[in-house]
């Protein structure tokens, strides 16, 4: 029997959060700046960028399933999920540098091909091999629901701080260092954050008390896949991830255009980031106690409602910066519980599957939720480009038409509100909290028998 783990230490929770901070350096930079880099610096048409980001997600679905099966079959002394965070750390840095350095000497088609190859390499291969095992890691660190909620909350606070810093300093660094040195700096930061995550965490489920070696059960794909299809919550969770990230990334990608074109001041980007992330951080600091009292499910429903309300206010605000900030504060307050809750609930979905079918499959469950998240990122980026293209946006033009301004406003506000309503409906369907006490007790008893 593995050793009894009474709770995760704060050092483990922070180290776990560092892994997501490393990945989030890439996500934050790409979500806010990659589309603008392609359209305004490289000169690729917005519609071509959107099509590329959408088509890449088809390939992403294949790599997610493959990676999920690989994680389930991985057996090392460090466990099955944690070693991948180490192995992919240098690749995360290299992929980011390649993505933001399209050679200027290439033809228009050559630039598009290079963008396709590096975007697929970074998002569909390297990020998949890093982030899918990382998400699976939490379900292998502890069975304790409160520990998971606390770790997820810590993770989210840290990633929001990372996003705030990236959005706050990138424009300044870009004007002095340029894309080449900027990507190298961020690549190095990504590498070391992933390394800290590997060194500071452990897979305690199945860990031998004397040797520290993790005893991993090898679940055949022929067994894990049918069990996965019987887990109804993985379907809902995958859709929730997808629509949540469509909303986050589509509005995030529009931020650059909104500040530059609608507000006529790119410097507002920092304030917009602060208005969204600081309320989310404050709410997350209060979440562990709130989750103990109300549960993740109710708080996620409230969060989705606030995100929809905030999006409506932003859409109605026009170019009124104070009203935009008000909408962002409300939206950011809602993002706190839904973002922390959805990642902690993924571990609950793994437990539910084992409780329901007797088969534990961290890899496949997380491949489905990871696929939902990354499809959301791809569709969100594509949605941004489609919306501004419908308005007639031209990245090389000195002045944009009024229709482009209108569509940028829609993309930054109302489209986010519509997607938040869809997330609200999915949150209502995701009530796994009603089973959580029985799941935890039964799985703990099962492991004690072993």
């Amino acid at each position: 029997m593995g050793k009894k783990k009474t709770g995760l230490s704060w050092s483990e929770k922070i180290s776990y959060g560092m892994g997501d901070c490393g990945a989030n350096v890439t996500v934050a930079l790409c979500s806010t700046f990659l589309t603008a880099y392609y359209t305004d610096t490289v000169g690729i048409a917005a519609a071509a960028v959107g099509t590329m980001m959408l088509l890449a997600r088809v390939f992403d679905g294949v790599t997610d399933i493959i990676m999920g099966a690989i994680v389930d079959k991985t057996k090392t002394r460090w466990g099955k999920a944690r070693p991948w965070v180490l192995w992919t750390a240098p690749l995360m840095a290299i992929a980011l540098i390649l993505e933001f350095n399209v050679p200027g000497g290439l033809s228009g088609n050559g630039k598009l091909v290079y963008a396709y190859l590096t975007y697929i390499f970074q998002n569909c291969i390297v990020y998949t091999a890093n982030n899918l095992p990382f998400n699976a890691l939490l379900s292998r660190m502890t069975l304790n629901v409160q520990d998971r909620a606390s770790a997820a909350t810590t993770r989210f606070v840290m990633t929001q701080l990372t996003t705030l810093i990236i959005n706050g300093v990138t424009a300044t660094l870009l004007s002095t260092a340029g894309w080449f040195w900027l990507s190298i700096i961020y690549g190095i930061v990504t590498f070391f954050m992933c390394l800290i995550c590997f060194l500071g965490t452990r897979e305690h489920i199945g860990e031998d008390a004397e040797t520290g070696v993790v005893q991993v059960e090898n679940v055949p794909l022929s067994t894990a896949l049918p069990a996965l299809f019987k887990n109804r919550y993985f379907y809902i969770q995958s859709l929730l991830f997808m629509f949540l990230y469509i909303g986050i990334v589509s509005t995030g990608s529009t931020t650059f255009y909104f500040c530059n074109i609608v507000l006529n001041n790119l410097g507002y980007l920092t304030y917009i980031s602060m208005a969204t992330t600081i309320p989310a951080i404050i709410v997350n600091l209060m979440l562990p106690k709130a989750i103990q009292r109300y549960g993740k499910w109710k708080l996620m429903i409230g969060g989705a409602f606030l995100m929809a309300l905030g999006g409506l206010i932003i859409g109605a605000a026009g170019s009124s910066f104070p009203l935009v900030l008000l909408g962002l504060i409300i939206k950011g307050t809602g993002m706190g519980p839904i973002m922390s809750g959805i990642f902690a609930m993924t571990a609950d979905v793994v437990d539910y599957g084992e409780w329901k079918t007797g088969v534990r499959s961290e890899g496949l469950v997380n491949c489905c939720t990871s696929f939902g998240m990354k499809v959301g990122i791809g569709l969100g980026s594509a949605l941004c480009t489609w919306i501004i293209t419908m308005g007639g946006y031209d990245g090389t033009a000195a002045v944009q038409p009024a229709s482009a301004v209108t569509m940028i406003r829609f993309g930054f506000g109302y489209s986010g509100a519509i997607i938040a309503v869809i997330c609200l409906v999915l949150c209502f369907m995701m009530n796994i909290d009603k089973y959580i006490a029985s799941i935890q007790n039964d799985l703990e008893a099962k492991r004690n028998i072993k």
Side-chain angles (χ1 to χ4, degrees):
M1 182 178 71
K3 66 182 177 180
K4 182 72 172 178
K5 183 70 181 175
T6 57
L8 295 178
S9 66
W10 273 107
S11 65
E12 276 194 279
K13 294 175 185 177
I14 292 172
S15 296
Y16 178 70
M18 288 294 284
D20 204 30
C21 287
N24 207 54
V25 169
T26 296
V27 171
L29 190 63
C30 292
S31 296
T32 305
F33 296 99
L34 184 60
T35 301
Y37 168 72
Y38 282 148
T39 59
D40 293 14
T41 301
V42 181
I44 301 174
V49 174
T51 302
M52 176 193 74
M53 291 178 170
L54 180 61
L55 291 178
R57 297 305 159 180
V58 176
F59 180 64
D60 209 1
V62 177
T63 59
D64 269 336
I65 294 172
I66 293 172
M67 194 64 216
I70 290 173
V71 170
D72 280 336
K73 289 181 177 293
T74 300
K75 297 181 69 173
T76 74
R77 71 179 309 271
W78 301 309
K80 60 159 63 172
R82 179 170 159 251
W84 286 100
V85 178
L86 172 66
W87 297 336
T88 57
L91 294 176
M92 289 282 285
I94 293 169
L96 181 64
I97 294 168
L98 290 174
E99 196 169 29
F100 277 90
N101 285 280
V102 179
L106 294 176
S107 64
N109 288 335
K111 290 178 180 179
L112 186 59
V113 170
Y114 180 92
Y116 262 94
L117 293 176
T118 53
Y119 185 82
I120 289 173
F121 177 65
Q122 195 272 323
N123 288 276
C124 306
I125 299 175
V126 176
Y127 186 82
T128 295
N130 172 273
N131 204 244
L132 191 151
F134 171 80
N135 286 326
L137 178 59
L138 182 58
S139 63
R140 295 197 56 79
M141 289 171 66
T142 178
L143 286 174
N144 186 281
V145 175
Q146 294 305 320
D147 259 348
R148 287 176 175 176
S150 177
T153 298
T154 303
R155 164 193 182 174
F156 183 70
V157 169
M158 293 173 67
T159 56
Q160 286 300 295
L161 285 172
T162 303
T163 300
L164 184 61
I165 293 169
I166 294 296
N167 289 340
V169 305
T170 296
T172 302
L173 286 175
L174 185 59
S175 63
T176 56
W179 285 113
F180 175 73
W181 288 108
L182 185 73
S183 62
I184 288 179
I185 292 169
Y186 285 169
I188 292 171
V189 171
T190 295
F191 169 78
F192 279 106
M193 285 181 168
C194 291
L195 184 62
I196 291 170
C197 176
F198 169 78
L199 294 174
T201 58
R202 295 289 185 275
E203 292 188 17
H204 295 291
I205 295 178
E207 184 181 35
D208 185 88
E210 295 181 1
T211 66
V213 175
V214 183
Q215 304 300 323
V216 177
E217 181 183 357
N218 192 347
V219 181
L221 185 62
S222 59
T223 301
L225 203 57
L228 181 70
F229 292 150
K230 296 176 184 177
N231 187 341
R232 60 179 174 176
Y233 287 110
F234 105 82
Y235 297 104
I236 305 170
Q237 182 82 334
S238 299
L239 288 172
L240 184 54
F241 262 108
M242 184 179 75
F243 281 104
L244 182 61
Y245 273 85
I246 288 174
I248 291 172
V249 175
S250 64
T251 54
S253 298
T254 313
T255 305
F256 180 92
Y257 303 103
F258 186 80
C259 292
N260 201 33
I261 305 300
V262 178
L263 300 180
N264 295 311
N265 189 341
L266 196 56
Y268 282 157
L269 195 150
T270 301
Y271 300 106
I272 284 177
S273 181
M274 290 173 64
T276 305
T277 55
I278 291 177
I281 290 170
I282 293 172
V283 169
N284 268 275
L285 293 174
M286 300 183 290
L287 269 183
K289 290 186 177 179
I291 289 173
Q292 283 183 332
R293 183 171 182 179
Y294 301 107
K296 294 187 289 292
W297 180 61
K298 292 179 181 178
L299 293 173
M300 288 174 67
I301 289 173
F305 173 78
L306 290 177
M307 287 181 68
L309 178 61
L312 288 174
I313 294 173
I314 295 167
S319 58
S320 173
F321 192 51
L323 276 180
V324 170
L325 288 180
L326 175 62
L328 288 168
I329 290 170
I330 294 172
K331 183 178 179 179
T333 302
M335 283 179 64
I338 194 168
M339 287 297 291
S340 287
I342 193 172
F343 283 104
M345 199 168 276
T346 301
D348 296 343
V349 174
V350 173
D351 289 348
Y352 176 84
E354 182 182 5
W355 181 67
K356 196 74 175 176
T357 67
V359 178
R360 186 173 186 84
S361 176
E362 290 94 347
L364 280 182
V365 170
N366 278 277
C367 95
C368 295
T369 54
S370 173
F371 177 61
M373 180 176 71
K374 290 191 294 180
V375 167
I377 292 173
L379 284 173
S381 299
L383 181 61
C384 165
T385 62
W386 292 337
I387 288 173
I388 65 175
T389 299
M390 286 173 61
Y393 179 83
D394 181 356
T396 61
V399 179
Q400 300 298 331
S403 57
V405 177
T406 299
M407 292 309 292
I408 290 170
R409 284 178 50 196
F410 174 83
F412 193 65
Y414 288 129
S415 69
I418 294 169
I419 295 166
V421 171
I422 298 173
C423 290
L424 178 61
V425 173
L426 291 169
C427 282
F428 271 109
M429 301 167 63
M430 194 65 197
N431 188 9
I432 200 172
D433 278 3
K434 63 184 178 181
Y435 299 112
I436 205 66
S438 297
I439 291 173
Q440 189 173 8
N441 291 335
D442 292 349
L443 293 186
E444 284 281 8
K446 175 183 174 182
R447 278 160 180 75
N448 287 334
I449 291 172
K450 290 182 178 180

PDB file of all heavy atoms in Angstrom, residues 341-356:
ATOM      1  N   GLY A 341     -12.374  26.361 -11.067  1.00  0.00           N
ATOM      2  CA  GLY A 341     -13.267  25.221 -10.921  1.00  0.00           C
ATOM      3  C   GLY A 341     -13.134  24.204 -12.031  1.00  0.00           C
ATOM      4  O   GLY A 341     -13.146  22.991 -11.789  1.00  0.00           O
ATOM      5  N   ILE A 342     -12.960  24.660 -13.262  1.00  0.00           N
ATOM      6  CA  ILE A 342     -12.971  23.728 -14.385  1.00  0.00           C
ATOM      7  C   ILE A 342     -11.741  22.820 -14.370  1.00  0.00           C
ATOM      8  O   ILE A 342     -11.823  21.635 -14.710  1.00  0.00           O
ATOM      9  CB  ILE A 342     -13.082  24.498 -15.728  1.00  0.00           C
ATOM     10  CG1 ILE A 342     -13.415  23.526 -16.867  1.00  0.00           C
ATOM     11  CG2 ILE A 342     -11.813  25.268 -16.043  1.00  0.00           C
ATOM     12  CD1 ILE A 342     -13.738  24.211 -18.173  1.00  0.00           C
ATOM     13  N   PHE A 343     -10.594  23.340 -13.938  1.00  0.00           N
ATOM     14  CA  PHE A 343      -9.396  22.499 -13.898  1.00  0.00           C
ATOM     15  C   PHE A 343      -9.442  21.531 -12.720  1.00  0.00           C
ATOM     16  O   PHE A 343      -9.041  20.372 -12.845  1.00  0.00           O
ATOM     17  CB  PHE A 343      -8.141  23.369 -13.830  1.00  0.00           C
ATOM     18  CG  PHE A 343      -7.768  23.974 -15.149  1.00  0.00           C
ATOM     19  CD1 PHE A 343      -8.019  25.311 -15.415  1.00  0.00           C
ATOM     20  CD2 PHE A 343      -7.183  23.205 -16.139  1.00  0.00           C
ATOM     21  CE1 PHE A 343      -7.690  25.874 -16.638  1.00  0.00           C
ATOM     22  CE2 PHE A 343      -6.845  23.753 -17.377  1.00  0.00           C
ATOM     23  CZ  PHE A 343      -7.100  25.092 -17.619  1.00  0.00           C
ATOM     24  N   ALA A 344      -9.931  22.003 -11.571  1.00  0.00           N
ATOM     25  CA  ALA A 344     -10.068  21.093 -10.432  1.00  0.00           C
ATOM     26  C   ALA A 344     -11.109  20.018 -10.732  1.00  0.00           C
ATOM     27  O   ALA A 344     -10.971  18.865 -10.318  1.00  0.00           O
ATOM     28  CB  ALA A 344     -10.464  21.881  -9.186  1.00  0.00           C
ATOM     29  N   MET A 345     -12.143  20.376 -11.479  1.00  0.00           N
ATOM     30  CA  MET A 345     -13.204  19.430 -11.781  1.00  0.00           C
ATOM     31  C   MET A 345     -12.756  18.356 -12.774  1.00  0.00           C
ATOM     32  O   MET A 345     -13.328  17.265 -12.811  1.00  0.00           O
ATOM     33  CB  MET A 345     -14.428  20.179 -12.319  1.00  0.00           C
ATOM     34  CG  MET A 345     -15.710  19.392 -12.227  1.00  0.00           C
ATOM     35  SD  MET A 345     -17.185  20.417 -12.531  1.00  0.00           S
ATOM     36  CE  MET A 345     -17.461  21.109 -10.904  1.00  0.00           C
ATOM     37  N   THR A 346     -11.715  18.643 -13.559  1.00  0.00           N
ATOM     38  CA  THR A 346     -11.197  17.621 -14.463  1.00  0.00           C
ATOM     39  C   THR A 346     -10.681  16.424 -13.683  1.00  0.00           C
ATOM     40  O   THR A 346     -10.897  15.263 -14.065  1.00  0.00           O
ATOM     41  CB  THR A 346     -10.065  18.199 -15.341  1.00  0.00           C
ATOM     42  OG1 THR A 346     -10.572  19.294 -16.101  1.00  0.00           O
ATOM     43  CG2 THR A 346      -9.524  17.149 -16.298  1.00  0.00           C
ATOM     44  N   ALA A 347     -10.002  16.696 -12.573  1.00  0.00           N
ATOM     45  CA  ALA A 347      -9.540  15.598 -11.715  1.00  0.00           C
ATOM     46  C   ALA A 347     -10.731  14.831 -11.143  1.00  0.00           C
ATOM     47  O   ALA A 347     -10.678  13.608 -10.980  1.00  0.00           O
ATOM     48  CB  ALA A 347      -8.668  16.145 -10.584  1.00  0.00           C
ATOM     49  N   ASP A 348     -11.821  15.549 -10.839  1.00  0.00           N
ATOM     50  CA  ASP A 348     -13.032  14.883 -10.353  1.00  0.00           C
ATOM     51  C   ASP A 348     -13.633  13.980 -11.432  1.00  0.00           C
ATOM     52  O   ASP A 348     -14.188  12.917 -11.126  1.00  0.00           O
ATOM     53  CB  ASP A 348     -14.078  15.925  -9.927  1.00  0.00           C
ATOM     54  CG  ASP A 348     -13.618  16.772  -8.748  1.00  0.00           C
ATOM     55  OD1 ASP A 348     -12.661  16.354  -8.065  1.00  0.00           O
ATOM     56  OD2 ASP A 348     -14.199  17.846  -8.521  1.00  0.00           O
ATOM     57  N   VAL A 349     -13.534  14.403 -12.696  1.00  0.00           N
ATOM     58  CA  VAL A 349     -14.045  13.589 -13.805  1.00  0.00           C
ATOM     59  C   VAL A 349     -13.247  12.288 -13.924  1.00  0.00           C
ATOM     60  O   VAL A 349     -13.811  11.227 -14.200  1.00  0.00           O
ATOM     61  CB  VAL A 349     -13.998  14.389 -15.131  1.00  0.00           C
ATOM     62  CG1 VAL A 349     -14.383  13.496 -16.312  1.00  0.00           C
ATOM     63  CG2 VAL A 349     -14.937  15.586 -15.069  1.00  0.00           C
ATOM     64  N   VAL A 350     -11.927  12.368 -13.694  1.00  0.00           N
ATOM     65  CA  VAL A 350     -11.093  11.159 -13.678  1.00  0.00           C
ATOM     66  C   VAL A 350     -11.575  10.213 -12.582  1.00  0.00           C
ATOM     67  O   VAL A 350     -11.752   9.008 -12.803  1.00  0.00           O
ATOM     68  CB  VAL A 350      -9.608  11.518 -13.456  1.00  0.00           C
ATOM     69  CG1 VAL A 350      -8.775  10.248 -13.258  1.00  0.00           C
ATOM     70  CG2 VAL A 350      -9.068  12.325 -14.627  1.00  0.00           C
ATOM     71  N   ASP A 351     -11.813  10.775 -11.386  1.00  0.00           N
ATOM     72  CA  ASP A 351     -12.271   9.958 -10.260  1.00  0.00           C
ATOM     73  C   ASP A 351     -13.656   9.371 -10.520  1.00  0.00           C
ATOM     74  O   ASP A 351     -13.924   8.215 -10.196  1.00  0.00           O
ATOM     75  CB  ASP A 351     -12.321  10.804  -8.980  1.00  0.00           C
ATOM     76  CG  ASP A 351     -10.930  11.147  -8.474  1.00  0.00           C
ATOM     77  OD1 ASP A 351      -9.960  10.567  -8.963  1.00  0.00           O
ATOM     78  OD2 ASP A 351     -10.830  12.018  -7.585  1.00  0.00           O
ATOM     79  N   TYR A 352     -14.528  10.162 -11.115  1.00  0.00           N
ATOM     80  CA  TYR A 352     -15.875   9.685 -11.421  1.00  0.00           C
ATOM     81  C   TYR A 352     -15.815   8.492 -12.367  1.00  0.00           C
ATOM     82  O   TYR A 352     -16.550   7.505 -12.203  1.00  0.00           O
ATOM     83  CB  TYR A 352     -16.714  10.804 -12.042  1.00  0.00           C
ATOM     84  CG  TYR A 352     -18.098  10.360 -12.480  1.00  0.00           C
ATOM     85  CD1 TYR A 352     -19.142  10.313 -11.571  1.00  0.00           C
ATOM     86  CD2 TYR A 352     -18.335   9.981 -13.808  1.00  0.00           C
ATOM     87  CE1 TYR A 352     -20.419   9.889 -11.973  1.00  0.00           C
ATOM     88  CE2 TYR A 352     -19.593   9.556 -14.211  1.00  0.00           C
ATOM     89  CZ  TYR A 352     -20.627   9.511 -13.287  1.00  0.00           C
ATOM     90  OH  TYR A 352     -21.880   9.088 -13.683  1.00  0.00           O
ATOM     91  N   GLY A 353     -14.925   8.584 -13.374  1.00  0.00           N
ATOM     92  CA  GLY A 353     -14.784   7.476 -14.319  1.00  0.00           C
ATOM     93  C   GLY A 353     -14.320   6.199 -13.635  1.00  0.00           C
ATOM     94  O   GLY A 353     -14.847   5.113 -13.901  1.00  0.00           O
ATOM     95  N   GLU A 354     -13.349   6.312 -12.712  1.00  0.00           N
ATOM     96  CA  GLU A 354     -12.880   5.132 -11.990  1.00  0.00           C
ATOM     97  C   GLU A 354     -13.973   4.596 -11.069  1.00  0.00           C
ATOM     98  O   GLU A 354     -14.170   3.381 -10.952  1.00  0.00           O
ATOM     99  CB  GLU A 354     -11.639   5.483 -11.158  1.00  0.00           C
ATOM    100  CG  GLU A 354     -11.064   4.289 -10.403  1.00  0.00           C
ATOM    101  CD  GLU A 354      -9.864   4.640  -9.549  1.00  0.00           C
ATOM    102  OE1 GLU A 354      -9.526   5.840  -9.454  1.00  0.00           O
ATOM    103  OE2 GLU A 354      -9.272   3.708  -8.953  1.00  0.00           O
ATOM    104  N   TRP A 355     -14.682   5.504 -10.417  1.00  0.00           N
ATOM    105  CA  TRP A 355     -15.767   5.120  -9.493  1.00  0.00           C
ATOM    106  C   TRP A 355     -16.894   4.409 -10.238  1.00  0.00           C
ATOM    107  O   TRP A 355     -17.470   3.441  -9.745  1.00  0.00           O
ATOM    108  CB  TRP A 355     -16.273   6.381  -8.812  1.00  0.00           C
ATOM    109  CG  TRP A 355     -17.371   6.202  -7.814  1.00  0.00           C
ATOM    110  CD1 TRP A 355     -17.304   5.573  -6.607  1.00  0.00           C
ATOM    111  CD2 TRP A 355     -18.711   6.706  -7.923  1.00  0.00           C
ATOM    112  NE1 TRP A 355     -18.512   5.656  -5.947  1.00  0.00           N
ATOM    113  CE2 TRP A 355     -19.403   6.342  -6.740  1.00  0.00           C
ATOM    114  CE3 TRP A 355     -19.400   7.431  -8.896  1.00  0.00           C
ATOM    115  CZ2 TRP A 355     -20.735   6.686  -6.514  1.00  0.00           C
ATOM    116  CZ3 TRP A 355     -20.721   7.785  -8.668  1.00  0.00           C
ATOM    117  CH2 TRP A 355     -21.369   7.395  -7.489  1.00  0.00           C
ATOM    118  N   LYS A 356     -17.189   4.887 -11.455  1.00  0.00           N
ATOM    119  CA  LYS A 356     -18.303   4.352 -12.230  1.00  0.00           C
ATOM    120  C   LYS A 356     -17.937   3.055 -12.950  1.00  0.00           C
ATOM    121  O   LYS A 356     -18.767   2.138 -13.051  1.00  0.00           O
ATOM    122  CB  LYS A 356     -18.738   5.397 -13.263  1.00  0.00           C
ATOM    123  CG  LYS A 356     -20.101   5.147 -13.882  1.00  0.00           C
ATOM    124  CD  LYS A 356     -21.217   5.478 -12.902  1.00  0.00           C
ATOM    125  CE  LYS A 356     -22.577   5.352 -13.568  1.00  0.00           C
ATOM    126  NZ  LYS A 356     -23.674   5.576 -12.592  1.00  0.00           N
TER     127      LYS A 356
END
